[in-house]
Amino acid sequence: NCAGNSGWSNVRSTVVSPPGWITIASQNFEGTFPGNWQVWDDNGSNYGEYYWGKRTCRPYAGSYSGWGVGGGAQGAALSCGSTYPHNADGWMVYGPFSLVDAARAELQFKLWLYTEPENDYVFRGASVDGVNFYGFATSGNTQGWTDKSLDLANVPTLGNLLGRSQVWVALVFASNGSTAYAEGGYVDNIVLRQCYRECPSGSSASASGNGLTQEVPVMMTRSGGKTLVAPIAGPQPFVSPLSVPEPFRSPLPVPEP
């Protein structure tokens, strides 16, 4: 206009979160492992060193999967089909990551399991301090590969983690000091994901046992291992390159009534 005020001179950016599921982290063991995940034996070397390792023994897809005792000084030397050791405590952790503004979030993966029922298990859980993890322990025999998931809006004890600025997830293979079976536990096709809006249905994986398995909610505490530091930043909300105009303000005075 004549005064040079078009109403578009003052602009601001708006943040638009993308629709649908966004992958925060994934691991199919076909590339670099552990990558942004951290792995260790929480028993140190007290019973030998065994933790999650990339192995060719029993892949779900491709050539590799993660064997719960297939890494570490002693674990890497195990041949495929070996009996898992007593007192195993192998951790694989990702985090911290942010779930601020998330409408949904979950951890999902494939699991193959053959362990002593109720005593030796694969645990999946989440934490808000990187030390105390809450989730589910699965033991027994899955009779092949099965789907597992952890809804981060409904974690045992912790409840809803959506909106939290720091969250960790963990997979743990643990055994006691008595009976041990062949192989133990494998995981593959791990996906950690979140959704801001327009979220399709989440994982249909059962939160209870299947095959010949038992599943119970438990807490696990990281007593040793590595200091958990932030991995490479996950996906950020989309920032629109378009600017939203400020409301038009007339340069002319408004007469009093």
Side-chain angles (χ1 to χ4, degrees), residues 64-75:
Y64 301 90
S65 65
W67 188 10
V69 295
Q74 282 69 44

Side-chain angles (χ1 to χ4, degrees), residues 9-240:
S9 57
N10 295 319
V11 297
R12 65 179 184 271
S13 297
T14 185
V15 176
V16 180
S17 299
W21 288 104
I22 300 170
T23 297
I24 301 171
S26 63
Q27 181 59 254
N28 63 9
F29 300 94
E30 300 302 312
T32 301
F33 179 79
N36 291 332
W37 298 76
Q38 299 183 63
V39 295
W40 70 87
D41 186 337
D42 212 48
N43 283 329
S45 57
N46 293 337
Y47 303 96
E49 187 181 54
Y50 300 90
Y51 51 72
W52 293 95
K54 172 183 172 179
R55 300 292 294 268
T56 60
C57 301
R58 192 177 288 278
Y60 169 75
S63 301
Y64 301 90
S65 65
W67 188 10
V69 295
Q74 282 69 44
L78 287 177
S79 59
C80 293
S82 294
T83 298
Y84 58 82
H86 298 313
N87 301 303
D89 195 11
W91 286 62
M92 176 165 59
V93 173
Y94 184 88
F97 57 93
S98 173
L99 292 180
V100 172
D101 296 328
R104 299 183 67 175
E106 66 177 12
L107 173 69
Q108 58 180 4
F109 59 97
K110 299 289 185 179
L111 173 68
W112 187 101
L113 190 70
Y114 183 52
T115 66
E116 181 187 14
E118 300 182 8
N119 292 315
D120 306 335
Y121 52 86
V122 167
F123 166 82
R124 65 188 188 277
S127 172
V128 294
D129 61 10
V131 176
N132 300 302
F133 288 78
Y134 299 83
F136 299 94
T138 307
S139 65
N141 185 356
T142 56
Q143 299 180 313
W145 288 95
T146 188
D147 292 305
K148 288 295 175 183
S149 68
L150 179 66
D151 182 358
L152 297 180
N154 188 24
V155 177
T157 302
L158 295 180
N160 188 358
L161 304 188
L162 303 180
R164 294 271 191 167
S165 61
Q166 287 196 314
V167 180
W168 292 258
V169 292
L171 294 172
V172 182
F173 180 82
S175 64
N176 65 6
S178 59
T179 305
Y181 292 5
E183 300 186 80
Y186 298 86
V187 295
D188 208 348
N189 287 13
I190 304 168
V191 177
L192 174 64
R193 62 183 189 168
Q194 67 179 335
C195 178
Y196 294 108
R197 60 187 180 90
E198 298 179 30
C199 305
S201 297
S203 172
S204 59
S206 172
S208 59
N210 52 30
L212 300 174
T213 63
Q214 295 79 44
E215 189 158 283
V216 293
V218 299
M219 181 192 79
M220 294 195 71
T221 298
R222 176 179 67 88
S223 59
K226 299 183 178 181
T227 300
L228 301 183
V229 297
I232 296 174
Q236 301 297 314
F238 172 71
V239 178
S240 172

